[in-house]
Amino acid sequence: MTDAPADAAESVSERHCLLLIDPDQPCCGQLQNSLSRLGYTVTLVHCGLDAIATFDPDKFELVITDLHLPDMGGLEVLRKVKGLSAETPVVVVASDSAVNDVVQALRLGASDYLLKPIADDGVIDHAVTRVAESRKLTQQNRAYREELEDRNREMQEHIELLQRDHEAGRQLQQHLLPRSPYQYPAGIEAAYRLQPSLYLSGDFVDYGLFGERFVAFYLVDVSGHGVSSALITALIKHSVMHLLRERPLFSQLDTIDHDITAVLEMINAELVATNLDKHASMFVGVVDSRARQLHYAVAGQVPMPALVTEEGAHWLPGKGRPLGLFHRGGWEVRHLALPACWRLVTCSDGVLELLQGNLLEKEEMLLKMINASRGDLNSLCAALKVDTAESLPDDIAILTMRQDPVAD
């Protein structure tokens, strides 16, 4: 007996047992020799009943059956084998005059066929090797599909866990935000709209009353999106609260400017120290309700805050570097006398992404919209379509402060 070719042996690697059903002794010997040469251990039976009794899908990787058996048709054997194991390949053997039976066998799930007389062992080699390779490919595809399904299931579980974490983070961030709108003495009202582009926002606002006359507030816009930026907003909130516990801020007129600068310096130092490659723009202001004066500073704020009075809307002047990029920001505290009725509107730069044109055109358009809304938060949000947009390219934060004359 000659050795099997290397490529043939490799093609049936891990294929061990084969069930051969053949009553034709001359052909049977030829098949057995060829199959043994291919590396199979052949179990031979001569009738259909013995074949069904012998077949075990866990043992036999391949079944070869003659279509003409002494006790039942080979097609019936094919049906029963496929009924027991649909994945087990079956090769049928028929005379060259039984083409219709071969066609029917292929329809019933036969993987290939051999026609007698078999003059060339290469025909057997080709058919069996092709079936073995096809079965191996099917098994590999099934294993790959199962692995892919497992990975998809694990990924879905991770996504669901991440979504739950994001939702928890979003609720926590919402809890850190102040109530909106909120009324302060002397007719001052603070309100905001904050819409994250993802679950969490890198924008944040806060405000509070200090003493009986000072309303302090800020809007901060941290670079980037998502969890890391939202964590920075929580850090800023915590840092401001910690500073407030350490010393009284925004309670004395002669220290207001120093307090505003102290807040910016502290947040800048915190961002520089984190080494998270994060920076932020910020607008910090204090309204002195008794003196009707605004104290404020900006740190890289774009667009600038806008003040709306009876004369219309205009951008506030000011300059200062963003927080987290330089050890010194060059921030300056400015003062502005306020009329009896005024509106202050501050937006994060995400608002500009809702508008068309270059930066100057966007800022001009935004100022016109602020003026048309007369600084009213709901009207401005409606004009910008903040609440109705299907998706936002960036986090959106709009903070409004307003004061109307208090009736006697």
Side-chain angles (χ1 to χ4, degrees):
M1 183 180 300
T2 59
D3 293 335
D7 57 347
E10 291 176 359
S11 66
V12 294
S13 60
E14 301 182 3
R15 303 295 194 273
H16 302 99
C17 297
L18 178 149
L19 180 61
L20 176 61
I21 313 158
D22 195 338
D24 188 346
Q25 293 297 333
C27 179
C28 177
Q30 182 184 14
L31 280 171
Q32 276 190 291
N33 290 336
S34 294
L35 295 171
S36 296
R37 177 170 50 80
L38 290 173
Y40 284 100
T41 297
V42 180
T43 298
L44 175 65
V45 295
H46 298 291
C47 66
L49 292 176
D50 289 345
I52 301 305
T54 304
F55 176 69
D56 181 354
D58 295 329
K59 177 180 179 182
F60 298 108
E61 290 88 358
L62 176 62
V63 173
I64 299 179
T65 180
D66 198 293
L67 289 181
H68 304 286
L69 302 174
D71 54 346
M72 69 171 64
L75 293 178
E76 183 63 21
V77 173
L78 172 61
R79 288 192 187 93
K80 291 184 178 296
V81 168
K82 286 295 181 181
L84 294 170
S85 175
E87 295 184 354
T88 301
V90 178
V91 176
V92 298
V93 182
S95 62
D96 58 7
S97 60
V99 176
N100 290 336
D101 290 341
V102 170
V103 172
Q104 182 63 16
L106 294 174
R107 289 175 177 171
L108 292 173
S111 300
D112 210 336
Y113 64 92
L114 296 170
L115 296 178
K116 297 186 292 185
I118 303 173
D120 186 358
D121 289 352
V123 175
I124 301 175
D125 294 354
H126 178 72
V128 173
T129 300
R130 183 171 58 188
V131 170
E133 290 176 344
S134 177
R135 184 172 188 267
K136 182 178 181 180
L137 182 60
T138 299
Q139 291 175 332
Q140 290 175 339
N141 288 340
R142 183 173 63 250
Y144 175 75
R145 185 173 62 253
E146 291 173 352
E147 180 182 1
L148 187 61
E149 290 173 353
D150 290 340
R151 289 181 179 271
N152 286 339
R153 186 163 48 252
E154 292 176 0
M155 184 179 298
Q156 184 61 37
E157 291 173 355
H158 287 310
I159 291 174
E160 292 175 357
L161 177 61
L162 186 61
Q163 288 176 337
R164 290 195 296 270
D165 288 345
H166 281 175
E167 183 58 33
R170 183 172 187 170
Q171 292 181 13
L172 177 60
Q173 189 176 52
Q174 292 292 324
H175 181 73
L176 295 175
L177 289 164
R179 283 184 289 173
S180 176
Y182 195 82
Q183 299 288 337
Y184 291 105
I188 296 177
E189 179 188 277
Y192 69 89
R193 185 83 88 251
L194 193 148
Q195 294 281 14
S197 59
L198 302 173
Y199 276 90
L200 300 171
S201 175
D203 295 351
F204 195 78
V205 300
D206 204 1
Y207 36 75
L209 177 66
F210 296 84
E212 297 180 354
R213 59 186 286 191
F214 301 108
V215 177
F217 55 90
Y218 68 82
L219 181 148
V220 64
D221 180 358
V222 179
S223 61
H225 307 280
V227 175
S228 61
S229 298
L231 289 175
I232 296 297
T233 67
L235 172 65
I236 292 172
K237 167 81 172 185
H238 170 77
S239 299
V240 172
M241 297 304 295
H242 181 72
L243 187 60
L244 286 170
R245 287 192 297 268
E246 284 188 338
R247 62 186 184 186
L249 296 177
F250 313 126
S251 58
Q252 299 294 327
L253 180 59
D254 57 354
T255 63
I256 290 293
D257 293 0
H258 179 267
D259 294 340
I260 290 175
T261 303
V263 169
L264 293 172
E265 289 176 345
M266 176 208 53
I267 296 174
N268 184 67
E270 291 276 7
L271 293 181
V272 170
T274 59
N275 293 319
L276 293 177
D277 194 28
K278 289 290 183 179
H279 63 275
S281 62
M282 192 170 188
F283 172 58
V284 185
V286 177
V287 175
D288 182 349
S289 60
R290 183 179 302 171
R292 289 193 177 276
Q293 189 172 47
L294 172 66
H295 303 247
Y296 70 92
V298 294
Q301 180 68 32
V302 177
M304 290 294 290
L307 183 68
V308 184
T309 63
E310 291 181 356
E311 289 75 26
H314 65 273
W315 299 122
L316 296 184
K319 63 179 181 179
R321 293 174 175 175
L323 305 172
L325 295 178
F326 309 96
H327 289 284
R328 289 185 172 274
W331 308 293
E332 58 180 17
V333 178
R334 288 179 172 254
H335 310 121
L336 181 68
L338 297 171
C341 180
W342 56 268
R343 309 285 187 267
L344 182 64
V345 179
T346 309
C347 303
S348 65
D349 63 2
V351 170
L352 298 177
E353 298 297 325
L354 303 176
L355 305 175
Q356 301 295 323
N358 57 42
L359 179 59
L360 293 178
E361 292 170 340
K362 290 180 177 182
E363 289 182 330
E364 182 180 357
M365 187 181 305
L366 177 59
L367 188 62
K368 289 180 179 178
M369 297 172 77
I370 292 173
N371 186 63
S373 70
R374 303 305 299 163
D376 179 73
L377 178 63
N378 292 330
S379 299
L380 180 58
C381 287
L384 290 166
K385 300 180 179 179
V386 170
D387 300 321
T388 58
E390 295 183 0
S391 62
L392 298 173
D394 196 1
D395 301 327
I396 301 292
I398 303 175
L399 170 64
T400 61
M401 306 290 296
R402 61 187 295 171
Q403 185 176 27
D404 295 307
V406 178
D408 294 334

